[in-house]
Each structure stands twice: as C-alpha cells, then as structure tokens.
Amino acid sequence: MTDGKLASVIRWLFDPAQGASDRLLSRWIFLRALGWIYFSAFFSLIFQIRGLIGPVGVLPAGEYLRAVAESAGPGRFWYAPTLFWLSSGSHMLMAVCWIALLASVLVVFNAWPRGGLFICFLCFLSFVGAAGEFAGYQSDGMLLEAGFISLFFAPAGLRPGFGAASPPIRASLFLLLWEWFRIYFESGVAKIASGDPEWRHFTAMDEYYQNGPLPTWIGWYVQHFPHWFHVATAFETLALELVLVWMLFLPRRWRIVCFWIVTPWQIGIILTANYTFLNYLVLALGFLLLDDRFLIQLVPQRWRERLPVGVGTPTLPAEQRGAFGSESTRTSKVVPTEVRVAKAEPAGLEHPESWPQALRRQVASVQLALTTVMFAWIFYASTTLLIWMLWPGAPLPTFPVVALEPFRIADRYGLFATMTRGRYEIEFQGSQDGKTWVAYPFRYKPQDPRKAPGIYAPYQPRFDWNLWFASLGEWRSNPIVPRTEERLLTGSAEVIALFAENPFPQVPPRQIRAVVWQYWFSTPEQKRAQGVWWTRRFLGLYAPTLQRESDGKITAVEWPTALSPRE
C-alpha cells in the first residue's frame, strides 16, 4: 500500500470530516441511553458511596489509596487513576457523584454531549480507581470502555442536535460494535473454556433464575417452566454468543436480523434478573447495528421533518458504501469531478493560507494522529485479550495491555463462565445480651421468605451484590464482612444506611455476628399455601462474632466452624 493510500485509509477511519453520516439516528439513541446509564450509576452511588468507601465506610477509599501509594510510589496516579487522590472525604465523594449526575443529565438532553461524557467518564473512573472490591464488576469495565470511546463518537457543540455537521468517527463506531461483539463472544468462549459440566450438559439454566445475585419475581415464575425450556435457553445462549454475533461482520440485512434477535433476548434478561446497568448497556450498543435508512422507517411521519436533510436516504450505490454499510464519504459533500474542476481557482490567483487556517490545520493533524494511536492501542489490547482466551500464552507484547488495565477501557469479558449451584445469603444480626439476636434487614437482597424479589436494575446496590459473592467463599477472603460487623458495632450511620432500617436505633448492639443461610425458590404449592417466595435453611456462623467491650475495644467471642463447600 502506497503512502497516499495509507493516508487516505487513516483519514477515512479516524478523521471526523469523513465520519459515518448514515449513523446519526443510531448514535443519537445510543448516546441518550448512555446518559441514562451513567445517571443510574451515579444515582445509586449517591445513596451508597459514603457507606462503601467513605472515611467511616466499609472499605474507606483513603486506606486503599494509602496502600497503593506505599506499593506503587510515583506510579500510584497511573495504577489508581482517581480524583480522590485530592481528597477522599465524604464531601469530595458526594461532590463527584453530584457533578457526574448533573453531567449525565446534560448527555440525556443532548446539551454539550462531549463535555458531559468526559465529566461522567472522569468521575466514574475516579470511583472505580478508588473503590477496590466494590468496583470489580465486569459491568464497570464495560461502561468505562463504552464511555471512553463515546468521547470520540459524540458530536461536537453545545446543542448539536443529530450532529449532521459532526458525524461519528468510523473507528469509534467500529470499536463500540467491537465491544458489543466481545461481550457476547468472550462470554461464550469463557463458558466452554471453563469446563463447567452444566454448560456441556445444557443444565446451566435449571437454577439460574434462583441463584443469581438479585433475582426478580418474574424469574420466580420462569424458574418453574418445564425442563425442556431451560435446556433450550442454555443451548440458545451458547449459540447466540458463539455463532450468531458473527452476523456483525455480514452485510446490512444480516445485522438488522441480528438486532431483532439480541434485543428481545436482552429484554428477557432484564426482566428475569437484576444485573444492574449491564444489560441496558449491551442493549444500547445493539442499536449501533442499525443505520439511519432502517431507523427512519420506525419514526412517525410527523417527526421526520425534524430530522437532518438526507437522513435515511442513501446517496451512494451499495458497492460504494464502506464498512458496516456506511457511506464512504460524507454524502453532503459528494461533488462530481467536473464541478470540482470548474470551481478550481485560475493559475496565479490562489489565496495564501492565513495563520489561523494553518494553526487549525496543524491542530487537526495532531488530533488525527492522537486519535489514531489511541484507537489502535485500544483495539490491540482488547484483541490480544481475546486471542489469549483462544490461545493461552500466545507470544504477543504484553506492555500495551498491562498499561491500560487501570483504566478498564480495554477489558476482557466472560459472563457466567461457571454457574453457581446454590444460593447462599449472609445475614448480619445484633444482640445486647448474646442470646436474643435481631437481623439487620437488607434493602434488596433476599431475606424475608414472604417478600417478593423485586426488579431494581439498572440501580446497582453494590453492598448487596458484594455480599452475594462473599457468600460463595470464606470470610478471610472477604474483608467486607468483618469490617461491616465492626462498623455496626460502632454505630456508623453511613454503613447502617446501606440497610433498610436500623433495628438498634437507640444504642448500637453489644455483639454482631454474620450467619449464612441457604435459599431456594418456593414451589408453586408452597407459595399458594403459605404465601412464601423463598424457603431457607440455617447453615451456621459465617464470620467471627464480634463484641464491643466497655472500653470501646472490639474482640472476637466466637469463631465459625468450617462450613461445607459452596459453589
């Protein structure tokens, strides 16, 4: 490839002036959805962040950042990219959440979308960089990756409308679709590579609706569907993740078919399980499979007048359209060769370039170069992680991958590689005398057998989620459990606010213990006769029972015995 052709390809992929002008509607839909997803993420943090990582929270951000500083030295700002290096106090935590919440509203209403997205990304990265165990979810990486790429995908301006004057950079469109593809495909690969017999035997869905982090009442009903239904959904999950998503790389018609398959699938997951904003993000990314020519058919006729001229109307024949069916040049600037020649300046009358024009040209060149390098870096890192899933130990340079890890903008995904085979719930109980124990009621986790499981997503109760993961292991590997016990003994208002109510409003209990139960969905007969959604069995003490002495010291008065393995 000659230098001229290479330069043309680079500009076609990375130059905003040659953006994909047939993706204005799908971009508009995706960015509004992304704004709502950011809103849900920060809205949930406003009520939780002080109890999670505040100075008297379960795992204070200040303690975590001090540990990073001691181990990483000057590199701490790279390994923990967060604004909370400035301050990790309660006021700073809340300020970041409120600023990001307001920025997400700007994105939703399409006001200064690039600026709003940048603020949201910076604030969410700050939380993830300082939250430790409370930000270890794959969904956090998905949002950071999509949020970062969207900084280049969004239109410029304060009120850009559909952004006809600033079409999406083609490489940013590809990377967002590449993320969509990897979420599905890597999850399918992880299921096969894990060797979990439940996926091999198509029994993975038999108790899926019951054993997930936060089930829904709709999931209760689906759980009682016939066995053949669960076998079919297990097979369909693997088929969708490993085969169907390759339709992304097929012609336009196949991508439209793919959209109409994966969209109902994601809606079904949303209704039967609470996976926070994860499925909403995957659902929104799916709209990028569609071009304006298809979407405009779904727009009522009276609204089409508000759309930019030419939206949904192809101006080039199919053979001249570029990747993903997009126009190979901006259609509004397609000019016949004869016309361009006729408009050329006569010899000797060319106007010299002014210094502002020269400066803008230089800035545009630098911007193009930086965009090219950044996108190539993200694509290399994400592709390498995928290759390593298929070919462990493949001899590829690791530094570009490792360097991006703290920012979570090129992550590896693998949802439900192995299925949990039981549902276990940790419960905190307090007592003044060591004999009568009163439970702290959770806001979202299953606890009362008579309470129907709710639908909370995209809201993410991170405390409840982490306790579900902790229930599958032992307390020494899950410090949030004994730390929560300590905070409850000292009456931390921020931690108590993570619960539905405080059973000891006058004075903190003298003792706190964490016990573990095993839960099952009730049968239809039990639900009709007893009105219960759950049945449960007490398994025993999960973590040491802690006691607050008269001098304020906290001691362990009872230690747990070994519990049977939980998976």
Side-chain angles (χ1 to χ4, degrees):
M1 182 180 293
T2 64
D3 292 343
K5 289 184 178 180
L6 177 61
S8 298
V9 170
I10 291 176
R11 289 193 175 278
W12 186 82
L13 284 172
F14 303 102
D15 190 348
Q18 300 191 35
S21 59
D22 64 337
R23 287 300 201 281
L24 303 183
L25 291 179
S26 54
R27 176 178 67 175
W28 189 92
I29 294 171
F30 170 73
L31 292 179
R32 303 296 75 75
L34 184 60
W36 277 115
I37 291 168
Y38 268 131
F39 183 90
S40 71
F42 288 107
F43 181 78
S44 65
L45 284 178
I46 283 176
F47 300 101
Q48 303 175 68
I49 193 167
R50 288 178 295 183
L52 298 177
I53 62 173
V56 289
V58 177
L59 297 175
E63 293 181 7
Y64 174 77
L65 293 177
R66 281 193 293 273
V68 172
E70 291 174 2
S71 61
R76 63 185 182 274
F77 301 113
W78 185 271
Y79 290 107
T82 174
L83 294 172
F84 298 133
W85 286 111
L86 302 174
S87 170
S88 57
S90 294
H91 294 303
M92 182 66 171
L93 297 176
M94 295 302 294
V96 166
C97 289
W98 277 108
I99 290 171
L101 196 71
L102 295 175
S104 68
V105 173
L106 292 179
V107 178
V108 170
F109 288 98
N110 201 21
W112 195 37
R114 283 188 180 175
L117 286 169
F118 175 76
I119 294 171
C120 288
F121 173 80
L122 180 62
C123 292
F124 195 68
L125 177 64
S126 294
F127 168 75
V128 171
E133 293 186 25
F134 288 117
Y137 307 118
Q138 295 186 56
S139 56
D140 293 329
M142 294 176 191
L143 182 53
L144 284 173
E145 181 173 349
F148 181 79
I149 297 170
S150 294
L151 297 177
F152 304 86
F153 188 63
L158 293 177
R159 294 293 294 169
F162 288 96
S166 180
I169 299 174
R170 297 177 189 277
S172 66
L173 171 64
F174 170 77
L175 285 179
L176 288 170
L177 286 168
W178 178 237
E179 179 185 1
W180 174 89
F181 171 82
R182 286 168 28 241
I183 290 171
Y184 281 107
F185 185 68
E186 290 181 354
S187 295
V189 172
K191 290 176 177 61
I192 300 301
S194 70
D196 187 349
E198 296 209 11
W199 286 112
R200 291 203 305 268
H201 301 150
F202 302 118
T203 58
M205 306 299 289
D206 286 0
E207 296 182 346
Y208 155 82
Y209 306 96
Q210 164 190 285
N211 295 339
L214 290 175
T216 71
W217 63 269
I218 297 176
W220 185 93
Y221 288 99
V222 178
Q223 181 73 67
H224 294 96
F225 282 8
H227 178 64
W228 64 261
F229 175 84
H230 302 307
V231 172
T233 51
F235 173 80
E236 290 164 4
T237 298
L238 293 173
L240 187 152
E241 293 179 343
L242 293 171
V243 179
L244 186 139
V245 292
W246 287 92
M247 294 167 75
L248 166 67
F249 304 103
L250 296 179
R252 172 179 178 271
R253 184 175 302 174
W254 292 98
R255 295 195 300 275
I256 295 174
V257 171
C258 182
F259 171 83
W260 288 113
I261 295 174
V262 298
T263 298
W265 187 268
Q266 289 300 326
I267 293 173
I269 297 174
I270 289 170
L271 293 175
T272 57
N274 287 293
Y275 295 124
T276 71
F277 53 76
L278 188 157
N279 299 102
Y280 289 88
L281 179 59
V282 179
L283 185 69
L285 286 167
F287 276 88
L288 300 179
L289 293 166
L290 307 176
D291 58 20
D292 294 351
R293 188 155 55 97
F294 175 81
L295 285 171
I296 201 169
Q297 301 175 56
L298 308 179
V299 178
Q301 186 66 40
R302 65 181 181 275
W303 292 354
R304 295 186 188 182
E305 299 175 358
R306 304 179 185 179
L307 300 179
V309 176
V311 168
T313 304
T315 58
L316 295 180
E319 62 272 13
Q320 293 183 25
R321 294 191 197 118
F324 305 109
S326 58
E327 307 288 352
S328 62
T329 61
R330 289 182 59 180
T331 59
S332 60
K333 294 194 175 182
V334 175
V335 182
T337 305
E338 315 79 79
V339 175
R340 288 198 300 268
V341 172
K343 290 184 177 180
E345 293 284 352
L349 295 180
E350 294 85 354
H351 298 288
E353 187 178 43
S354 65
W355 71 264
Q357 292 174 325
L359 179 61
R360 282 195 296 269
R361 181 170 53 79
Q362 293 297 327
V363 169
S365 298
V366 172
Q367 181 182 358
L368 178 63
L370 292 177
T371 302
T372 303
V373 171
M374 193 69 249
F375 280 4
W377 190 357
I378 292 174
F379 181 69
Y380 172 83
S382 58
T383 304
T384 299
L385 289 171
L386 173 57
I387 292 173
W388 283 338
M389 292 184 73
L390 302 170
W391 179 14
L396 297 170
T398 61
F399 177 76
V401 181
V402 174
L404 282 185
E405 280 183 1
F407 299 90
R408 304 279 296 275
I409 57 176
D411 233 337
R412 173 189 290 172
Y413 308 114
L415 303 170
F416 295 103
T418 57
M419 303 300 288
T420 53
R421 294 167 174 80
R423 174 166 206 91
Y424 307 95
E425 294 291 352
I426 296 171
E427 182 178 73
F428 294 95
Q429 300 176 345
S431 175
Q432 298 292 9
D433 57 10
K435 298 178 181 178
T436 303
W437 296 91
V438 181
Y440 282 79
F442 290 106
R443 292 182 181 272
Y444 307 99
K445 270 165 46 70
Q447 190 171 22
D448 180 359
R450 293 181 178 272
K451 182 180 179 182
I455 298 178
Y456 311 112
Y459 188 95
Q460 182 171 14
R462 291 177 182 265
F463 179 65
D464 299 54
W465 262 65
N466 274 67
L467 288 175
W468 178 81
F469 284 102
S471 71
L472 302 175
E474 53 94 29
W475 69 272
R476 290 181 178 85
S477 303
N478 296 281
I480 68 167
V481 176
R483 292 297 295 270
T484 300
E485 290 182 301
E486 294 177 18
R487 296 306 191 194
L488 294 177
L489 282 176
T490 58
S492 168
E494 288 83 354
V495 173
I496 292 173
L498 297 174
F499 295 86
E501 62 181 64
N502 181 10
F504 299 91
Q506 304 301 325
V507 62
R510 189 162 176 264
Q511 290 186 4
I512 288 286
R513 69 179 185 180
V515 299
V516 63
W517 301 77
Q518 185 167 6
Y519 276 69
W520 297 267
F521 271 151
S522 62
T523 64
E525 295 75 20
Q526 290 172 322
K527 185 174 181 295
R528 283 193 298 267
Q530 306 172 35
V532 296
W533 293 82
W534 298 96
T535 60
R536 65 178 186 172
R537 178 169 64 92
F538 183 77
L539 298 182
L541 199 63
Y542 176 85
T545 300
L546 302 184
Q547 177 173 288
R548 176 174 43 82
E549 305 293 350
S550 56
D551 60 358
K553 291 183 178 179
I554 296 176
T555 59
V557 296
E558 185 180 2
W559 295 83
T561 57
L563 296 172
S564 57
R566 301 179 297 283
E567 348 176 53

